[in-house]
Amino acid sequence: MAKKDYYEVLWLKKGASENEIKKAYRKMARKYHPDVNPGDKRAEERFKEISEAYEVLSDKEKRKKYDMYGHQSFQSGFDPFSAYQRSGKSQGFDFQGTNFDPFGRGFEGFGDIFSDFFGQRQKGDQRIPTKGADIQYSMEISFEDAIRGLSTDITLQRTSICDQCNGSGVSRGSQSQICPDCRGSGQKRAGRGPLNFSQACSRCKGSGSWNPNPCKKCSGTGVIPKTEKIGIKIPPGVDTGSKVRIAGKGEAGKYGGPSGDLYIVTRVRSHPFFERKGDNIYCVVPVTVTEAALGSQITVPTVDGNVTMKIPEGTQSNQVFRLANKGVPKLKESGRGDQFVEVKIVVPKNLDERSKQLLKDFERLNYYNPRSNLG
């Protein structure tokens, strides 16, 4: 089956300008790209067809050969002289020298176009401003500091913009050049024949630029290590695993990009008396038999200091009472949690004979069997 005319494939007339060819390809590639039509074999074949046409018509030399001799000009062993003596119809297309991706993602040379569609940049100079990496810093704090908040300083080693080259990585009086190995594409071909793949250029690491005179202070990286004392504020209500963001205190950005952020990851020490569950605080307070039986006003510790709590007559052991708004400040909203107080009746030891007799008299006068319902 004869191949379609490349101009017809892109819906163009012969003699179309470079801009018209690129515009036509962009429009059709967007429509038929495999990422837009997953699993559609017909769209995939159509995409390969228009990519093949664009690969030829976007190249001045290939287009010139195609305009003169048609498809046969790309066949192996093609003889331009004898081409005048036979038909210009050709049955095949030579992929030699074409970077074809077997997954249907396109050809080398189309990276700039696909970057507009899918946010990918496959070739060219990538020395663009890039935000620096974030830093995580683990910090242990006390239970009380987690409740009340904390202002303190930490000493941290991070990178900062090199003051010798202002972050460019290039010595003063010099500038980056187009990489001589990949000629600015950022990629080099590997393999031969139809399976001709590309990989990042080893000299420029895929950037497309080469630095022949790297800055001596930063060795061409554009950044230098720096030890810095940083003031931080831990807000009230943090817990183990909370992250506190300090903007702009991460690693330095590249090529004029902003610095990353610093994240303080908190680890809260346990408390000997209080136990935290979410925004609530729990504790156990001992009471005497008399306080539980007759009711009383008892003193209860809280994170804000001691408070007085009333327990009613006939309070049982393990009974829980709530102190409203005495818990942990809520980290992402207003208000506080509560404190829950569990009372535990403590029986005195080493009673004298007089006390023992009084308890016997009490039992005789107020007899009850707490195990009567056990069956």
Side-chain angles (χ1 to χ4, degrees), residues 38 40-41 87 97 114 131 153 217 223 228 336 342:
D40 189 335
K41 295 296 183 182
S87 172
F114 293 152
K131 183 180 179 181
D153 294 330
K217 186 170 184 178
V223 296
E228 183 178 357
R336 297 179 63 167
E342 177 184 349

Side-chain angles (χ1 to χ4, degrees), residues 215 218 243 281 329 352 362 374:
C215 172
C218 66
K243 289 184 177 182
I281 293 176
D352 59 20
F362 173 83
L374 296 183

Side-chain angles (χ1 to χ4, degrees), residues 151-176:
S151 294
T152 187
D153 294 330
I154 63 171
T155 300
L156 182 72
Q157 187 173 71
R158 52 188 289 264
T159 55
S160 63
I161 297 297
C162 175
D163 55 7
Q164 191 72 29
C165 64
N166 293 322
S168 69
V170 184
S171 297
R172 290 182 180 179
S174 181
Q175 60 182 3
S176 296

Side-chain angles (χ1 to χ4, degrees), residues 96-113:
Q96 181 71 29
T98 302
N99 178 24
F100 175 65
D101 182 341
F103 298 103
R105 304 288 175 158
F107 299 83
E108 182 181 18
F110 305 144
D112 289 337
I113 292 177

Side-chain angles (χ1 to χ4, degrees), residues 80-306:
F81 178 77
S82 61
Y84 288 106
Q85 303 174 11
R86 62 178 183 264
S87 172
K89 299 295 182 181
S90 172
Q91 300 299 317
F93 178 78
D94 180 15
F95 287 96
Q96 181 71 29
T98 302
N99 178 24
F100 175 65
D101 182 341
F103 298 103
R105 304 288 175 158
F107 299 83
E108 182 181 18
F110 305 144
D112 289 337
I113 292 177
F114 293 152
S115 67
D116 295 337
F117 300 158
F118 308 106
Q120 301 173 350
R121 183 174 176 86
Q122 301 180 357
K123 60 174 287 186
D125 186 1
Q126 294 186 353
R127 295 177 68 87
I128 57 177
T130 305
K131 183 180 179 181
D134 296 331
I135 297 176
Q136 285 198 2
Y137 181 93
S138 181
M139 182 177 183
E140 186 178 78
I141 61 176
S142 69
F143 186 92
E144 291 83 0
D145 285 337
I147 303 299
R148 302 178 186 132
L150 172 69
S151 294
T152 187
D153 294 330
I154 63 171
T155 300
L156 182 72
Q157 187 173 71
R158 52 188 289 264
T159 55
S160 63
I161 297 297
C162 175
D163 55 7
Q164 191 72 29
C165 64
N166 293 322
S168 69
V170 184
S171 297
R172 290 182 180 179
S174 181
Q175 60 182 3
S176 296
Q177 300 176 5
I178 294 177
C179 177
D181 287 5
C182 65
R183 298 182 181 179
S185 69
Q187 299 184 10
K188 294 192 71 175
R189 291 176 179 173
R192 301 179 63 182
L195 298 180
N196 186 358
F197 302 95
S198 64
Q199 59 186 15
C201 173
S202 59
R203 180 189 288 268
C204 67
K205 305 297 187 292
S207 71
S209 294
W210 178 54
N211 182 2
N213 297 298
C215 172
K216 293 182 179 179
K217 186 170 184 178
C218 66
S219 300
T221 63
V223 296
I224 55 175
K226 176 184 180 182
T227 301
E228 183 178 357
K229 181 180 285 188
I230 301 173
I232 62 171
K233 289 185 178 181
I234 305 297
V238 296
D239 201 354
T240 295
S242 295
K243 289 184 177 182
V244 180
R245 175 175 171 264
I246 313 296
K249 290 300 181 179
E251 304 289 8
K254 290 187 176 181
Y255 314 124
S259 295
D261 300 324
L262 169 65
Y263 287 89
I264 307 296
V265 182
T266 55
R267 182 161 56 90
V268 181
R269 292 192 292 269
S270 60
H271 193 277
F273 180 71
F274 297 115
E275 180 183 4
R276 176 176 174 175
K277 296 180 181 179
D279 293 328
N280 297 323
I281 293 176
Y282 295 79
C283 65
V284 178
V285 176
V287 295
T288 68
V289 174
T290 304
E291 289 173 329
L294 303 180
S296 179
Q297 299 274 356
I298 64 172
T299 299
V300 177
T302 74
V303 293
D304 299 321
N306 292 338

